[in-house]
Amino acid sequence: MTFPHSLSAQLTDLLGERYTEGRSDRDNHAGTEAHHDAMPPDAVAYPVNTEEVAAILRACRNARVPVIAHGAGSSLEGNASAPQGGLCLDMTRMDRIVAVRPEDMDCTVEAGVTREALNTHLRDTGLFFPVDPGANATLGGMAATRASGTNAVHYGTMRENVLSLTVVTAEGEIIRTARRARKSSAGYDLTHLYLGSEGTLGIITEISLRLYGRPEATMAAVCTFPDAGSASTTAVEAIQMGLTPARMEYLDAGCIRAVNAYSAREDTEADTLFVEFIGSPEGLREQVALFEELAAANGGKDFRWAKEEEARNRLWRARHTAYTATVAQRPGARGWATDVCVPLSALPACIDHAKALLDDCPVPASIMGHVGDGNFHVVFALDPEATEERALLAELNARMVAEALSHDGTCTGEHGVGLGKQKYMADEHGPALDIMRRVKAALDPDNLMNPGKVLPLAQEARR
Amino acid sequence: MTFPHSLSAQLTDLLGERYTEGRSDRDNHAGTEAHHDAMPPDAVAYPVNTEEVAAILRACRNARVPVIAHGAGSSLEGNASAPQGGLCLDMTRMDRIVAVRPEDMDCTVEAGVTREALNTHLRDTGLFFPVDPGANATLGGMAATRASGTNAVHYGTMRENVLSLTVVTAEGEIIRTARRARKSSAGYDLTHLYLGSEGTLGIITEISLRLYGRPEATMAAVCTFPDAGSASTTAVEAIQMGLTPARMEYLDAGCIRAVNAYSAREDTEADTLFVEFIGSPEGLREQVALFEELAAANGGKDFRWAKEEEARNRLWRARHTAYTATVAQRPGARGWATDVCVPLSALPACIDHAKALLDDCPVPASIMGHVGDGNFHVVFALDPEATEERALLAELNARMVAEALSHDGTCTGEHGVGLGKQKYMADEHGPALDIMRRVKAALDPDNLMNPGKVLPLAQEARR
């Protein structure tokens, strides 16, 4: 499509220098994170408040121009690229923390606030926001993809921690999806309808979030296992026996090797669980003892416990580096991450299945998982120039997804659908996909909100 | 409307004696719980599986006849009455527990299974399903109204505890809203779209639920306060300081008086908190000590702690009897319960506001609340023959709702909208109500699914 000149003029009037059609701005919003192709928008706008977003959406609707919201750009499935062109809304200047209400244990932020910025702001309140997808994503982006990460096993995902959203609809109307009450039965749950809709139903501009008191005490541990099965089984059994870790992460032996090489560490190169418990000092001691006993029964050894923040951070640094270290094994490589999530008891079988697939795979890869939730990633270090590698990884991903679906799991636990997972939506949802399409048609009848994403429309044209 | 003869014949062919137009069956499904008028359906069907529900919905759609799902009949806002006539689907014969999976800590049940039946079935597994709205409601009804109750402060509501639903759409298509994975980012959140939709978008026929390990130890306590403010402030402060009670309930002095009269108890007739802590024995002791200290600082006294199940049940019996005992204060009376829920810090002000309204109210009333969630009910013992009493209670309810909305609260924390709360939907949701209407039109274009409920349609004709 060509970008209408009249719209350019209108947006320039509205936004001044915060509207641009410059090459570098467009390239910076092309959705190039991970392995997806660059698909730049025709123009980029930098709104600073909800009313501006509404005015922009009204203008774009009149001109029949697509609108794609863009946060930190850390999404992994091409969620924020512009396959049909259009206007990218860079939300990062909407970075105001609107209100923190310690007395209600909640806060309201603009969509461009990052999770690290929020937690820095909260430092003196004794409260924090737990959802942590690894990247310093914007909270708007995290809401739009229903993100989660390491803490979800204890605190839940964005799904459980958003009280209310301010959304601009495709028509440029400003709505609030709910009140800030902790629960409500007042009609359809619009909050959850927009959470995970990846900007295809409207643009999230403000978010009210639950906050939590910082835990009294924290204890982290690393423990190695003879193989993937004993590690994942330990994780599953810990949940089944009622332990409530704040985080419980699995890294395979190859991943530890990659991290050692990347960070000049000397951790034992074995399948490893990272686990963290929180609570009162007494409660901690009980949980830690139970976990240690359970892990040992499954062959776990080399326990390293860390109580002080510095020591914990040192342990966790390996986990935080895992993605980067895996990709760094190969110069010039780019990351490709799978993201299945399955019912708890199916996790060991699915990880074993993935491991077997990797045995014959020439592409360097690590397995890392939020195993307390049944969610794990295989991260590949893809040579972006090698077409046959892409085809191979697509095939391996398809086989992991098929395995997950056969266990009543999902093709994506936390990365969203974007472009990359559309091919699995029909298999995962069956006739329910038609309900999603009807919702989309009802709320975005002109298909201008992040078109070509989430729903595999039959005739979605690539420009 | 008149019920088409051809549809009667078709449903008789399909269901035999499980289809009836008999007077008593119709009257038993007229939605007469609480204060709403009887609005019987034209006929009642008793399906036994999802395929039958689908066949019934296809037949009703062809005949343009409304369909209303009906569980235990314990809803309080006319949620399951038939203001436009049509066919009532009594779901109680769909009472099969499809699967219990201790290894995944979840289960799948048909919609007619009651929460007590499920928990009885689970008795030997060490697991239980925590959501407890008081009445022995069906899990389908609880899902349809997004119910909660006493345990929600710890375990969440139906919103947090449903993994997946099987739904029959208005067209008679069978869909599943999600896989059983604990988290997913795979497209629109249809589970939450149907949760709380009160049968207006489709009929829930199966539900997959999260289960929890029974707590190692439990301790319940009762404690009295000099006034409502000190009791509700204690509850709010307990949450703010990070205590995690399994339940925390408030009963006002008048309610205790009603319970004493009804149950021949001799509890101190004062504003009272009921609280229950769970966990390991060590963790319990800490929480209990902290709570006692906090309550005492707010004037709490007469602590009675109970650890053994029998003693705990004796304490809780007062809470469980509160609704019945309040209504029983007046022979022939019927219950009318308000249901606002507000952000935590607004709770004391809202309860004080309600108390002031009751000062001049001639209708016997109690205040009881799930105060850890900011949710409370005023239960009135209404004389059903006294028109002016209804008008008065409607006025008091409207004032409590207005107060709650002014604190960013909701008109209904857990009872749903049904007929009773429609008048507040525009005030609560503003322009978001239009989004709900568009979703309704997209998924039920002929307005046959529980018509006249949830959404205040402009021209909803009363037959």
Side-chain angles (χ1 to χ4, degrees):
Chain A
M1 68 166 294
T2 30
F3 204 78
H5 182 72
S6 61
L7 179 61
S8 297
Q10 207 179 339
L11 293 174
T12 303
D13 276 356
L14 185 68
L15 302 167
E17 295 192 345
R18 292 185 286 106
Y19 171 79
T20 172
E21 297 172 10
R23 187 77 238 176
S24 75
D25 286 85
R26 293 172 54 207
D27 285 346
N28 286 338
H29 296 83
T32 48
E33 186 81 7
H35 62 284
H36 292 281
D37 289 334
M39 297 177 184
D42 296 304
V44 181
Y46 297 87
V48 294
N49 59 46
T50 298
E51 288 67 29
E52 273 191 359
V53 174
I56 294 167
L57 261 62
R58 286 192 294 271
C60 286
R61 181 168 183 246
N62 287 336
R64 296 289 182 273
V65 164
V67 177
I68 306 102
H70 195 287
S74 53
S75 62
L76 295 172
E77 291 295 355
N79 316 60
S81 65
Q84 303 181 19
L87 178 71
C88 174
L89 285 190
D90 183 307
M91 303 296 286
T92 56
R93 296 193 197 176
M94 288 187 62
D95 60 353
R96 211 162 48 93
I97 293 172
V98 179
V100 176
R101 306 173 199 89
E103 69 283 10
D104 293 329
M105 299 180 78
D106 68 27
C107 70
T108 302
V109 300
E110 289 184 334
V113 173
T114 67
R115 63 173 185 83
E116 287 181 6
L118 174 59
N119 279 323
T120 300
H121 183 91
L122 291 172
R123 209 160 29 193
D124 298 331
T125 63
L127 299 171
F128 80 116
F129 180 68
V131 183
D132 172 5
N136 188 21
T138 62
L139 291 156
M142 288 167 63
T145 50
R146 212 151 62 223
S148 47
T150 57
N151 277 316
V153 65
H154 194 273
Y155 294 98
T157 73
M158 290 303 279
R159 184 177 62 185
E160 285 79 26
N161 287 296
V162 173
L163 292 168
S164 173
L165 299 168
T166 299
V167 171
V168 179
T169 69
E171 287 79 18
E173 179 112 44
I174 300 167
I175 63 165
R176 250 183 105 203
T177 59
R179 299 299 184 114
R180 275 193 303 113
R182 295 244 152 178
K183 60 185 203 180
S184 171
S185 291
Y188 305 157
D189 187 340
L190 297 184
T191 305
H192 284 93
L193 185 59
Y194 289 101
L195 284 173
S197 67
E198 301 185 25
T200 64
L201 301 177
I203 308 290
I204 295 169
T205 60
E206 287 191 12
I207 308 145
S208 291
L209 296 163
R210 298 179 76 126
L211 300 176
Y212 295 83
R214 288 186 185 279
E216 204 184 330
T218 304
M219 205 153 181
V222 176
C223 168
T224 64
F225 290 86
D227 52 34
S230 49
S232 58
T233 299
T234 301
V236 169
E237 289 177 357
I239 303 295
Q240 287 168 343
M241 71 190 286
L243 292 181
T244 54
R247 313 195 255 188
M248 190 157 57
E249 298 287 307
Y250 164 72
L251 301 185
D252 77 343
C255 188
I256 301 288
R257 195 175 314 126
V259 171
N260 280 346
Y262 184 78
S263 307
R265 294 172 68 111
E266 297 187 340
D267 295 333
T268 308
E269 291 176 4
D271 292 277
T272 300
L273 280 186
F274 287 68
V275 62
E276 189 166 280
F277 290 102
I278 55 174
S280 67
E282 284 78 6
L284 269 188
R285 269 193 289 276
E286 287 180 87
Q287 298 237 356
V288 161
L290 281 167
F291 180 79
E292 202 158 337
E293 194 178 309
L294 171 67
N298 285 317
K301 53 183 188 178
D302 302 332
F303 281 89
R304 281 179 293 151
W305 289 101
K307 205 170 166 192
E308 298 315 314
E309 189 166 359
E310 186 45 43
R312 282 189 280 121
N313 287 347
R314 208 162 44 239
L315 283 186
W316 278 103
R317 216 165 288 138
R319 172 64 187 94
H320 283 137
T321 321
Y323 183 97
T324 312
T326 300
V327 180
Q329 289 178 100
R330 202 176 183 188
R334 288 169 70 178
W336 172 316
T338 72
D339 180 33
V340 299
C341 183
V342 294
L344 218 47
S345 69
L347 183 72
C350 287
I351 290 183
D352 283 349
H353 174 267
K355 266 212 140 21
L357 289 179
L358 296 185
D359 276 348
D360 302 324
C361 175
V363 183
S366 294
I367 305 183
M368 54 196 79
H370 312 307
V371 283
D373 297 313
N375 182 207
F376 71 95
H377 311 294
V378 178
V379 176
F380 295 98
L382 167 77
D383 174 354
E385 306 304 322
T387 315
E388 74 289 356
E389 273 195 18
R390 276 176 189 255
L392 172 65
L393 299 195
E395 167 63 19
L396 294 182
N397 189 22
R399 289 166 72 177
M400 287 182 227
V401 169
E403 179 73 11
L405 294 182
S406 80
H407 293 283
D408 212 6
T410 176
C411 66
T412 173
E414 55 182 13
H415 293 170
V417 177
L419 294 166
K421 292 288 164 63
Q422 288 186 33
K423 57 175 82 72
Y424 308 116
M425 289 288 275
D427 281 351
E428 178 158 341
H429 296 295
L433 193 56
D434 179 56
I435 300 293
M436 294 188 198
R437 289 202 172 104
R438 284 155 71 174
V439 169
K440 166 75 171 174
L443 301 195
D444 179 26
D446 301 316
N447 192 26
L448 297 174
M449 307 305 295
N450 202 4
K453 305 295 174 60
V454 181
L455 298 178
L457 295 178
Q459 301 299 334
E460 199 65 85
R462 183 72 197 284
R463 66 171 171 163
Chain B
M1 68 167 294
T2 31
F3 204 78
H5 182 71
S6 62
L7 179 61
S8 298
Q10 207 180 340
L11 293 174
T12 303
D13 276 358
L14 184 69
L15 302 167
E17 295 193 345
R18 292 186 286 104
Y19 171 78
T20 172
E21 297 172 10
R23 187 76 237 177
S24 74
D25 285 85
R26 293 171 54 207
D27 285 346
N28 286 338
H29 296 83
T32 47
E33 186 82 3
H35 62 284
H36 292 282
D37 291 333
M39 297 178 185
D42 295 305
V44 182
Y46 297 88
V48 294
N49 59 47
T50 298
E51 289 67 29
E52 273 190 0
V53 173
I56 294 168
L57 261 62
R58 286 193 295 272
C60 287
R61 181 168 183 247
N62 287 336
R64 297 288 182 276
V65 164
V67 177
I68 305 102
H70 194 286
S74 53
S75 62
L76 294 172
E77 291 295 355
N79 316 60
S81 65
Q84 302 181 20
L87 178 71
C88 174
L89 285 189
D90 182 308
M91 303 296 287
T92 56
R93 297 193 196 177
M94 289 189 62
D95 60 353
R96 211 162 48 93
I97 293 171
V98 179
V100 176
R101 306 174 199 88
E103 69 282 9
D104 292 328
M105 299 181 78
D106 69 27
C107 70
T108 302
V109 300
E110 289 184 335
V113 172
T114 66
R115 62 173 187 85
E116 288 180 5
L118 174 60
N119 279 323
T120 300
H121 183 91
L122 292 171
R123 209 159 29 193
D124 298 332
T125 63
L127 299 171
F128 80 116
F129 180 68
V131 183
D132 173 4
N136 187 22
T138 62
L139 290 156
M142 288 166 63
T145 50
R146 211 150 63 223
S148 47
T150 57
N151 277 316
V153 64
H154 194 273
Y155 294 98
T157 73
M158 290 302 279
R159 182 177 63 186
E160 285 79 26
N161 287 294
V162 173
L163 292 168
S164 173
L165 299 168
T166 299
V167 171
V168 179
T169 69
E171 287 78 18
E173 181 112 45
I174 299 167
I175 64 165
R176 249 183 105 203
T177 58
R179 299 299 183 114
R180 276 192 304 112
R182 295 245 151 176
K183 61 184 202 179
S184 171
S185 291
Y188 305 157
D189 187 341
L190 297 183
T191 306
H192 284 94
L193 186 58
Y194 289 102
L195 283 174
S197 67
E198 303 186 24
T200 64
L201 301 177
I203 308 290
I204 296 169
T205 60
E206 288 190 11
I207 308 145
S208 291
L209 296 163
R210 298 180 78 127
L211 300 176
Y212 295 83
R214 288 184 186 279
E216 204 184 329
T218 303
M219 204 154 181
V222 176
C223 168
T224 64
F225 289 86
D227 52 35
S230 49
S232 58
T233 298
T234 300
V236 169
E237 289 177 358
I239 302 295
Q240 288 168 343
M241 71 190 285
L243 293 181
T244 54
R247 313 195 255 189
M248 190 157 57
E249 299 286 309
Y250 163 72
L251 302 186
D252 77 343
C255 187
I256 301 288
R257 195 175 315 125
V259 171
N260 280 347
Y262 184 78
S263 307
R265 293 171 68 110
E266 295 187 341
D267 296 332
T268 308
E269 291 177 2
D271 292 278
T272 301
L273 280 186
F274 286 68
V275 62
E276 189 167 280
F277 291 101
I278 56 176
S280 67
E282 284 78 6
L284 269 188
R285 268 193 289 278
E286 286 180 88
Q287 297 238 356
V288 161
L290 281 167
F291 180 78
E292 202 159 338
E293 195 178 311
L294 172 67
N298 285 315
K301 53 182 187 177
D302 303 332
F303 280 89
R304 281 179 293 151
W305 290 99
K307 206 172 167 193
E308 299 313 316
E309 189 167 359
E310 185 46 41
R312 281 191 280 119
N313 287 345
R314 208 165 42 240
L315 283 186
W316 278 103
R317 216 164 289 140
R319 172 64 187 96
H320 282 137
T321 321
Y323 183 96
T324 312
T326 300
V327 180
Q329 291 179 98
R330 201 175 183 190
R334 289 168 71 178
W336 171 316
T338 71
D339 180 33
V340 299
C341 184
V342 295
L344 218 47
S345 69
L347 184 72
C350 287
I351 290 183
D352 282 349
H353 174 266
K355 266 211 139 23
L357 290 179
L358 296 185
D359 277 347
D360 302 323
C361 174
V363 183
S366 294
I367 304 184
M368 54 195 80
H370 311 308
V371 283
D373 297 312
N375 182 207
F376 71 95
H377 311 295
V378 178
V379 176
F380 294 98
L382 166 77
D383 174 353
E385 307 303 324
T387 315
E388 74 289 355
E389 272 193 20
R390 277 177 189 253
L392 172 64
L393 298 195
E395 167 64 19
L396 295 182
N397 189 23
R399 288 166 71 177
M400 287 182 227
V401 169
E403 179 73 11
L405 294 181
S406 79
H407 293 281
D408 212 5
T410 176
C411 67
T412 172
E414 55 183 14
H415 293 169
V417 178
L419 294 166
K421 291 288 165 62
Q422 288 186 33
K423 58 175 81 72
Y424 308 116
M425 290 288 275
D427 281 351
E428 178 158 341
H429 296 296
L433 193 56
D434 179 54
I435 300 293
M436 296 188 196
R437 288 201 172 105
R438 284 155 71 174
V439 169
K440 167 75 172 175
L443 301 195
D444 179 26
D446 301 316
N447 193 25
L448 297 175
M449 307 306 293
N450 203 3
K453 304 295 174 60
V454 181
L455 298 177
L457 295 178
Q459 299 300 334
E460 197 66 84
R462 182 75 197 285
R463 64 169 171 163

